[in-house]
């Protein structure tokens, strides 16, 4: 496969007539039951197969009618293995006079980004340090043991309980960053090993579902900050985001919430409730409804371990309250870290940009330091992570200077800010969007 797939001499494959298509025709096939896309100038019909896509139907359907080459490369570390499954889906290729990119996407940027990826491969930046990830896992286990020791040695008084909760919430947050690494297949060369350890990390260590996370998170990476495609900006009418949605809601007189106060009620229903209420309910229901018994078994193993450890100290009801307090604390950590990179950036409907431009428009970085790296699980390098999601996190800082250089070449803004500034900007962004809504709502 490749741009020169039908060039050259000889061979029966060359002699066969290959159907060719124009972008105008391909873009018509972007419905839920009729989906085509293009990878390396080859046209594939994924209408039926998308239901069997390991990453879920929705993430692959977001590229229906488009060129998906860079997304395909970004998500799959073993391209030759994946291509074997694609052969039966091949229906033709782009007409020779058709551009490789759809909708006038910037070809020089695309070519330079692919050259940048090749440079990263030559620098061996996609090779992980197993020692690094072993140490991350070890420090999570130490935190888990420390939390148990505090309760066992000092008892279940208020001070020891609160201290243990903070230690265990730290362990849960760090386990969340670690499962993220395995979910992106960025630790082991064999995808199978990543999947197995991912289920252990998110299931046994956190009581959550690997499949639920994959289906949700890969959509976010495929189309970040795009309404109806990125589930992370699906706020269920609780918040309005960006600059266009608030105006649209205001002009239509939509008022599910007092959005001009969203920067205030964010502190009440955002960080405190996301994990202990919304995520917890969604995860359990998803596993049951989809009959995902493997993930459910892993999650049950977490709860068995947890209640076996803490019921003797708190009783059953007390253990439930303790668990939800831990998740209450973890939820604050998770929300502030994940939103500081995205909610302050462009949020809109599908702009059909190239991979590099779309990721830069939707992500920003936080300055590097040992604490920032640890605190965010290296998601302070959100730009580089989004451009190269399978790159091990300990190598992201090495590719950052080259990404900055490319941004300078094309006059694309590369946002990087101090941690405190990034956190404050979340509130400022919500306040700005809320004011835009109010202005539009009151507009006669």
């Amino acid at each position: 496969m490749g741009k020169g797939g039908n060039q050259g001499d000889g061979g029966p494959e060359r002699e066969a007539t290959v159907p060719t298509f124009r972008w105008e025709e391909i873009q018509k096939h972007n419905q839920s039951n009729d989906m085509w896309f293009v990878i390396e100038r080859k046209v594939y019909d994924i209408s039926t197969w998308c239901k069997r896509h390991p990453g879920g139907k929705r993430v692959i359907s977001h590229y229906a009618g488009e060129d998906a080459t860079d997304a395909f490369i970004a998500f799959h570390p073993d391209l030759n293995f994946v291509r074997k499954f694609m052969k039966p889906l091949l229906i033709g290729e782009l007409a020779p006079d058709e551009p490789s990119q759809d909708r006038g996407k910037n070809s020089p940027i695309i070519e330079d980004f692919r050259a940048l990826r090749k440079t990263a491969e030559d620098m061996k930046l996609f090779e992980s340090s197993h020692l690094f990830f072993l140490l991350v896992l070890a420090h999570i286990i130490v935190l888990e043991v420390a939390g148990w020791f505090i309760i066992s040695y000092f008892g279940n008084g208020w001070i020891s309980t609160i201290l243990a909760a903070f230690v265990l919430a730290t362990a849960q947050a760090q386990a969340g960053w670690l499962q993220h690494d395995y979910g992106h297949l960025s630790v082991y060369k064999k995808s199978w090993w990543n999947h197995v350890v991912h289920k252990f990390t998110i299931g046994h260590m956190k009581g959550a579902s690997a499949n639920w996370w994959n289906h949700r998170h890969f959509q976010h990476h495929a189309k970040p900050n795009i309404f109806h495609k990125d589930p992370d900006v699906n706020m269920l009418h609780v918040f309005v985001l960006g600059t266009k949605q608030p105006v649209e809601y205001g002009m239509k007189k939509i008022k599910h919430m007092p959005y001009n106060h969203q920067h205030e009620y964010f502190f009440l229903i955002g960080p405190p409730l996301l994990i202990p209420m919304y995520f917890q309910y969604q995860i359990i229901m998803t596993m049951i409804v989809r009959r995902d018994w493997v993930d459910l078994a892993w999650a049950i193993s977490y709860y068995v371990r947890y209640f076996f450890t803490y019921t003797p100290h708190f009783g059953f009801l007390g253990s439930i309250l303790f668990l939800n307090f831990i998740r209450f604390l973890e939820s604050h950590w998770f929300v502030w870290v994940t939103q500081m990179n995205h909610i302050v950036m462009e949020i809109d409907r599908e702009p059909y940009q190239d991979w590099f431009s779309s990721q830069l428009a939707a992500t920003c970085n936080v300055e590097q330091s040992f604490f920032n790296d640890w605190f965010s699980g290296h998601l302070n390098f959100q730009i580089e992570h989004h451009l190269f999601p399978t790159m091990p996190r300990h190598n992201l800082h090495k590719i950052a200077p080259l990404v900055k250089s490319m941004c300078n070449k094309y006059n694309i803004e590369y946002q990087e800010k101090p941690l405190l500034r990034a956190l404050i900007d979340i509130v400022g962004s919500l306040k700005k969007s809320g004011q835009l809504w109010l202005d539009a709502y009151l507009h006669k």
Side-chain angles (χ1 to χ4, degrees):
M1 295 173 62
K3 293 183 179 180
N6 288 312
Q7 297 174 0
D9 298 326
E13 291 186 23
R14 309 293 185 189
E15 296 173 1
T17 301
V18 179
T20 59
F21 301 94
R22 309 198 73 82
W23 279 116
E24 182 180 6
E25 170 66 17
I26 295 168
Q27 289 167 7
K28 294 177 182 177
H29 298 272
N30 63 349
Q31 305 302 313
S32 60
N33 60 346
D34 178 21
M35 292 186 285
W36 294 5
F37 65 18
V38 177
I39 294 176
E40 297 169 324
R41 295 190 64 85
K42 304 293 184 181
V43 183
Y44 297 89
D45 183 348
I46 59 169
S47 303
T48 302
W49 179 84
C50 66
K51 298 176 183 178
R52 303 198 301 273
H53 180 232
K57 174 183 177 179
R58 288 185 60 83
V59 64
I60 198 170
S61 68
H62 292 336
Y63 277 91
E66 295 183 53
D67 175 64
T69 302
D70 290 308
F72 169 74
I73 294 172
F75 287 128
H76 303 99
D78 190 346
L79 296 177
N80 291 329
F81 175 76
V82 178
R83 286 186 178 113
K84 295 177 182 178
F85 296 92
M86 295 170 60
K87 288 182 179 180
L89 310 176
L90 181 65
I91 59 172
E93 60 185 32
L94 286 173
D97 60 332
E98 283 287 280
S100 296
Q101 287 78 43
D102 60 298
R103 295 177 173 87
K105 294 175 182 175
N106 194 313
S107 295
I109 290 181
I110 293 171
E111 292 172 4
D112 277 2
F113 173 69
R114 292 174 184 175
L116 176 61
R117 184 180 179 88
K118 179 63 167 61
T119 299
E121 292 170 354
D122 293 341
M123 293 171 65
K124 301 186 183 304
L125 298 185
F126 289 93
E127 296 183 8
S128 70
S129 166
H130 291 175
L131 177 61
F132 172 86
F133 290 105
L134 180 62
L135 291 174
V136 172
L137 176 60
H139 104 286
I140 294 170
I141 294 174
V142 168
L143 289 168
E144 289 274 3
V145 173
W148 165 81
F149 177 79
I150 291 170
I151 298 299
S152 297
Y153 188 80
F154 295 102
N156 60 0
W158 282 105
I159 295 177
S160 57
T161 297
I162 291 173
L163 178 60
F166 273 91
V167 171
L168 293 171
T170 302
Q172 284 293 291
Q174 292 299 319
W177 308 144
L178 182 60
Q179 68 82 21
H180 177 256
D181 298 311
Y182 292 112
H184 276 296
L185 313 179
S186 64
V187 180
Y188 301 110
K189 290 184 178 180
K190 295 288 187 180
S191 296
W192 186 82
W193 273 104
N194 285 292
H195 290 308
V196 170
V197 183
H198 184 215
K199 288 186 181 296
F200 167 79
T201 309
I202 194 172
H204 183 69
M205 298 186 72
K206 291 185 63 62
S209 164
N211 288 337
W212 167 84
W213 183 89
N214 284 339
H215 291 171
R216 180 185 179 93
H217 193 65
F218 290 162
Q219 289 183 71
H220 162 69
H221 269 269
K223 296 287 184 177
N225 284 14
I226 304 300
F227 288 122
H228 309 302
K229 292 188 176 181
D230 179 359
D232 287 5
V233 296
N234 176 23
M235 295 296 178
L236 303 176
H237 304 299
V238 176
F239 299 99
V240 288
L241 305 176
T243 58
K244 295 183 180 179
Q245 185 193 42
V247 175
E248 179 182 317
Y249 273 43
M251 295 298 289
K252 293 180 178 179
K253 307 303 179 185
I254 298 175
K255 189 182 180 181
H256 297 287
M257 299 286 286
Y259 298 120
N260 52 310
H261 294 290
Q262 65 179 5
H263 61 291
E264 297 167 341
Y265 65 72
F266 168 76
F267 290 91
L268 299 176
I269 65 174
L273 302 181
L274 183 67
I275 290 179
M277 288 193 65
Y278 179 66
F279 273 7
Q280 188 165 262
Y281 171 80
Q282 191 182 64
I283 289 168
I284 293 173
M285 290 304 299
T286 299
M287 289 188 293
I288 294 174
V289 170
R290 294 181 179 176
R291 299 182 180 182
D292 194 347
W293 308 130
V294 174
D295 278 12
L296 185 60
W298 278 111
I300 290 173
S301 75
Y302 164 80
Y303 287 105
V304 169
R305 174 173 62 88
Y306 171 82
F307 284 109
F308 179 81
T309 303
Y310 292 103
T311 298
H313 302 284
F314 295 106
F316 182 71
L317 180 60
S319 296
I320 292 177
L321 294 174
F322 185 51
L323 174 61
N324 279 282
F325 181 55
I326 293 169
R327 288 181 167 166
F328 167 83
L329 295 174
E330 179 201 358
S331 188
H332 283 79
W333 193 330
F334 175 82
V335 171
W336 287 101
V337 168
T338 55
Q339 296 309 306
M340 70 183 183
N341 302 112
H342 293 295
I343 202 172
V344 299
M345 303 300 289
E346 292 181 18
I347 303 176
D348 201 355
R349 290 186 174 85
E350 177 64 78
Y352 295 111
Q353 292 178 298
D354 60 86
W355 178 263
F356 185 84
S357 299
S358 65
Q359 303 300 334
L360 264 296
T363 57
C364 67
N365 277 9
V366 170
E367 293 175 348
Q368 182 184 24
S369 71
F370 178 81
F371 175 79
N372 288 354
D373 292 354
W374 173 83
F375 181 74
S376 67
H378 287 85
L379 294 182
N380 50 326
F381 288 98
Q382 191 73 228
I383 292 173
E384 289 71 25
H385 170 60
H386 263 255
L387 291 174
F388 309 103
T390 60
M391 182 179 289
R393 61 159 124 155
H394 53 73
N395 286 334
L396 294 174
H397 73 280
K398 298 177 182 177
I399 196 65
L402 300 181
V403 175
K404 290 180 183 178
S405 178
M406 184 169 166
C407 286
N408 290 333
K409 178 178 179 180
Y410 290 100
N411 197 29
I412 296 175
E413 185 177 12
Y414 181 103
Q415 286 197 37
E416 185 177 38
K417 60 187 76 171
L419 177 61
L420 183 59
R421 178 76 262 167
L423 299 178
I424 292 173
D425 283 351
I426 295 174
V427 181
S429 175
L430 289 170
K431 184 176 182 180
K432 177 182 177 182
S433 297
Q435 188 60 47
L436 288 172
W437 169 83
L438 183 62
D439 292 344
Y441 188 83
L442 298 177
H443 179 71
K444 301 298 182 181

